Amino acid sequence: MFLIHLTCTACGLKHDWAQLQNLCSACQKPLFATYDLSEVGRVLTRASFKTRREKSLWRYRELLPLPSVTEPLSLGEGGTPLLRADRFAAKIGIENLWVKDESLNPTQSFKARGMSVAVSTAKHLGARKLAVPSAGNAGGALAAYAARAGLEAHIFMPRDTPRANIIECRELGAHVVLIDGLITDCGAEITKRKTVEGWFDMSTLKEPYRVEGKKTLGYELAEQLNWQLPDVILYPTGGGTGLIGMWKAFDEMETLGWLATKRPRMFSVQASGCAPIVRAFENGESTAAEFPDAHTIASGLRVPKAIGDFIMLKILRESKGGAVAVDDEEMIRVTREVGSSEGLFVAPEGAACFAALKSLLATKIIAPEERVVIFNTGSGIKYLECYREG
Ligand SMILES: Cc1ncc(COP(=O)(O)O)c(C=O)c1O
Ligand SMILES: [Zn+2]
């Protein structure tokens, strides 16, 4: 294994990876895994991926936690297709558009990536009971990997989470608690009870390894595009782990000398009814205030306050990208446009990115010749209550 320690994203303090860790012990900010990349570079090159390796995200094993003798918990996560979206692209007047279709993951969303790595590592380090606040998809993913690990899963969800997510968690054997409030209220409930209950807190960015799973989005994208990253990435942002993970992957790949091109401009896409990052970006702030009265059908984007806000805002600015908010009605309308032109029933969060692309083209922030990748983070099939039946 090439993981050497955990490093605080804010104050730089190092922590022991071999102990279960949540936030930095000094400043309560997220911890990142640090690898010995010069050693990785000695055993792994871009050519390594041309030989037979498994399709799942564990193909990047040298860049993930977990000792090499420990078997990861896998349901076949990752290895999702990068599809061209030519018919939709032609309609909106852009030359090169791809969709990374994350709905093909176990439990139908990209949350499987983070949970495969985080549950594997938590189990290895001795956790027995895992707890998470979830907008829906993270809960389903935790329930699945915890079941496979033989660990308890305690999932706290807002009462208005899509029904499919709630049912899925229960059928996967998790303990589900519905809360009258938002995901932040669910997180507060876990914080209050976790010591007494003996739960390990699996909240996004409050433990160090979900972001490691999510970073494989960046490695896969680079590999699928022959190490030539796109000009623009549009990403639906709630807690921000996907965006932050990809940027970490780009950092690591740059150190490894694997990148043939400059980095993409990163755009965070949120819902108009819950857009803390968009607001903070527009106001030139380095952290994001809690968004009042958060509401949107895109439950994964209903995150009024994110602990990784300062990391996201830094990435958006450093990459010369931006942040865009989309109305719920527009997400629903665009879902059918994408569905009928590309054959993909995208989650509202994914649809938000297609809608954002249209508006960024109209305002000339994105040019028609730029190479654009959209992440469809989940499947529309989990959100049936959002659609008309006619
Ligand atoms: C389908 C979907 N897209 C996007 C997000 C936001 O993800 P992140 O926390 O990585 O910003 C979520 C989170 O629940 C989600 O379920
Ligand atoms: Zn710190």
Side-chain angles (χ1 to χ4, degrees), residues 270-281 288-289 291 294 301 303-304 324-326:
Q270 298 201 302
S272 310
C274 182
I277 299 300
V278 178
R279 191 174 275 184
F281 182 82
F291 199 88
L301 307 184
V303 182
V324 187
V326 175

Side-chain angles (χ1 to χ4, degrees), residues 91-254:
K91 276 189 199 156
I92 64 167
I94 187 163
E95 289 165 22
N96 287 296
L97 175 62
W98 289 266
V99 188
K100 179 88 170 138
D101 189 14
E102 288 293 299
S103 70
L104 291 171
N105 275 299
T107 67
Q108 293 82 52
S109 93
F110 75 133
K111 297 280 176 183
R113 292 182 187 264
M115 289 302 184
S116 173
V117 175
V119 178
S120 295
T121 314
K123 179 173 182 172
H124 174 71
L125 298 178
R128 290 286 164 263
K129 300 177 183 181
L130 310 177
V132 80
S134 172
N137 286 313
L142 176 67
Y145 289 95
R148 224 171 160 73
L151 303 182
E152 280 181 25
H154 297 265
I155 298 168
F156 288 73
M157 292 168 150
R159 195 170 294 282
D160 55 0
T161 298
R163 256 190 95 221
N165 296 123
I166 299 171
I167 295 169
E168 177 185 39
C169 289
R170 290 202 179 114
E171 296 308 316
L172 290 169
H175 302 266
V176 178
V177 181
L178 299 179
I179 298 276
D180 292 310
L182 294 163
I183 190 167
T184 33
D185 302 305
C186 296
E189 188 66 16
I190 292 176
T191 305
K192 200 166 77 192
R193 292 177 54 188
K194 65 182 176 187
T195 312
V196 172
E197 303 279 0
W199 296 337
F200 180 61
D201 189 346
M202 298 286 279
S203 301
T204 201
L205 291 170
K206 289 190 188 167
E207 68 74 53
Y209 299 115
R210 283 175 65 182
V211 70
E212 290 302 292
K214 297 270 190 86
K215 87 178 177 190
T216 60
L217 288 168
Y219 281 100
E220 271 178 32
L221 183 63
E223 197 187 337
Q224 286 171 316
L225 289 174
N226 202 20
W227 311 100
Q228 318 245 335
L229 293 174
D231 299 309
V232 172
I233 287 178
L234 297 177
Y235 199 88
T237 312
T241 323
L243 190 88
I244 294 169
M246 258 191 281
W247 199 251
K248 183 174 190 285
F250 299 156
D251 276 339
E252 290 172 359
M253 280 188 272
E254 212 163 79

